[in-house]
């Protein structure tokens, strides 16, 4: 099997957090089609685990879904060169008010590969120390703690739908949960 | 905690599979910011399980990542009203050449909630019957079978990164894998 061949990539819109491109792509039979491509600088996320084994989650309003969601803390990299572990530690402190010097890689995901290169590195954070929340302007989150078994149940009953959160809960439960 | 308030939504680009909008959003303090919003019609995916317990996967080239990926079969809904289970059954047959009349819901995910409403319903398919592959024009996939334990390992060693595939492998392994 051969790769598709990209003939051109043209920026058609520069957004607030994403850039949209129109690609001309040639398939193995020589046909040329337009593909959407969204360039994203990458992100990191973290599953913070308290000394009692509870998972620290954030609840916030998501404009793209028109509803509140329950998620693990996450945020965009400060530029494509920022290490994911540095971003994860920062977002942990900013969103939950906990610090950790004990971050361990869990999984990495590409969120939506049909049209976007967004990659999220996901860490488990332990040995949480109380610090203070420091949200971005316009960012409002509630911090809530759950047992991992409660979160697993919320995935299977479709109460939690966010892909990074679903993948992390399941990957954590498989590795550490029992 | 209050929802954000969307003041307007303006279509700025109509792509091949997505539409991009610029939203004006007012936060709880009254500040107004631009948000990117990508409208997506939704998708479905399927974990096909053979009578021997192997998982049927597809390998294909992804333009957005510039590489081949190993994924569960998936595809876009034929319009927003198509039931996910119908789409999942169709994509199973088209991409792998297997039919199934035994589909069971596993999980549902929103792939990238910071800027997109894409939702993927994911099913487990059993009692697979040989039919024939019927790919879209320009679509080329190799079909490969794996034990679930091999796939779990490929997630933890970051060989598999696709979010729907990572979430499904982990959710399946938790529910049925042992």
């Amino acid at each position: 099997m051969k790769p598709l061949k990209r003939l051109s990539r043209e920026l058609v819109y520069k957004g607030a957090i994403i850039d949209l491109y129109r690609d001309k792509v040639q398939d193995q039979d020589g046909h040329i089609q337009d593909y959407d491509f969204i360039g994203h600088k990458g992100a990191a996320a973290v599953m913070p685990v308290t000394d009692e084994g509870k998972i620290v989650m954030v609840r916030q309003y998501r404009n793209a879904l028109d509803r509140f969601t329950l998620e693990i803390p996450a945020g965009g990299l400060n530029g494509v060169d920022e290490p994911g572990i540095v971003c994860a530690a920062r977002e942990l402190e900013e969103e939950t008010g906990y610090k950790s010097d004990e971050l361990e890689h869990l999984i990495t995901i590409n969120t939506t590969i049909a049209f976007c290169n967004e990659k999220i590195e996901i860490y488990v954070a332990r040995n949480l120390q109380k610090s203070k929340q420091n949200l971005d302007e316009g960012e409002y989150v509630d911090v809530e703690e759950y047992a991992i078994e409660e979160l697993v149940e919320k995935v299977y009953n479709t109460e939690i739908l966010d892909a990074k959160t679903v993948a992390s809960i399941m990957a954590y439960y498989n590795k550490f949960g029992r």
Side-chain angles (χ1 to χ4, degrees), chain A residues 90-98 131-137 139-141 143:
Chain A
R90 182 184 61 245
E91 293 294 336
L92 170 65
E93 185 169 8
E94 287 184 1
E95 295 195 352
T96 71
Y98 282 115
S131 169
K132 88 178 202 292
Q133 228 186 8
N134 177 24
L135 297 169
D136 295 336
E137 187 179 307
E139 192 179 28
Y140 300 83
V141 307
V143 178

Side-chain angles (χ1 to χ4, degrees), chain A residues 8-75:
Chain A
S8 65
R9 168 163 288 171
E10 179 197 356
L11 180 67
V12 290
Y13 185 74
K14 236 179 145 42
I17 60 168
I18 56 172
D19 297 327
L20 178 60
Y21 298 82
R22 180 173 43 218
D23 290 355
K24 295 272 179 208
V25 174
Q26 186 172 37
D27 70 27
Q28 286 93 328
D29 293 339
H31 302 114
I32 296 173
Q33 285 189 60
D34 283 350
Y35 275 57
D36 303 317
F37 172 68
I38 294 194
H40 188 285
K41 65 179 192 268
V46 58
M47 286 199 77
V49 185
T50 69
D51 291 349
E52 295 75 35
K54 293 288 182 82
I55 311 296
V56 183
M57 306 283 290
V58 293
R59 191 179 293 275
Q60 62 189 308
Y61 192 82
R62 288 295 195 170
N63 171 65
L65 302 181
D66 292 323
R67 63 175 176 80
F68 287 94
T69 57
L70 188 62
E71 303 172 38
I72 59 172

Side-chain angles (χ1 to χ4, degrees), chain A residues 43 105-111 118-123 167-168:
Chain A
H105 180 259
L106 178 64
I107 54 172
T108 298
I109 61 172
N110 286 123
T111 52
E118 183 185 24
K119 185 166 91 167
I120 308 181
E121 289 184 16
I122 303 168
Y123 295 83
S168 300

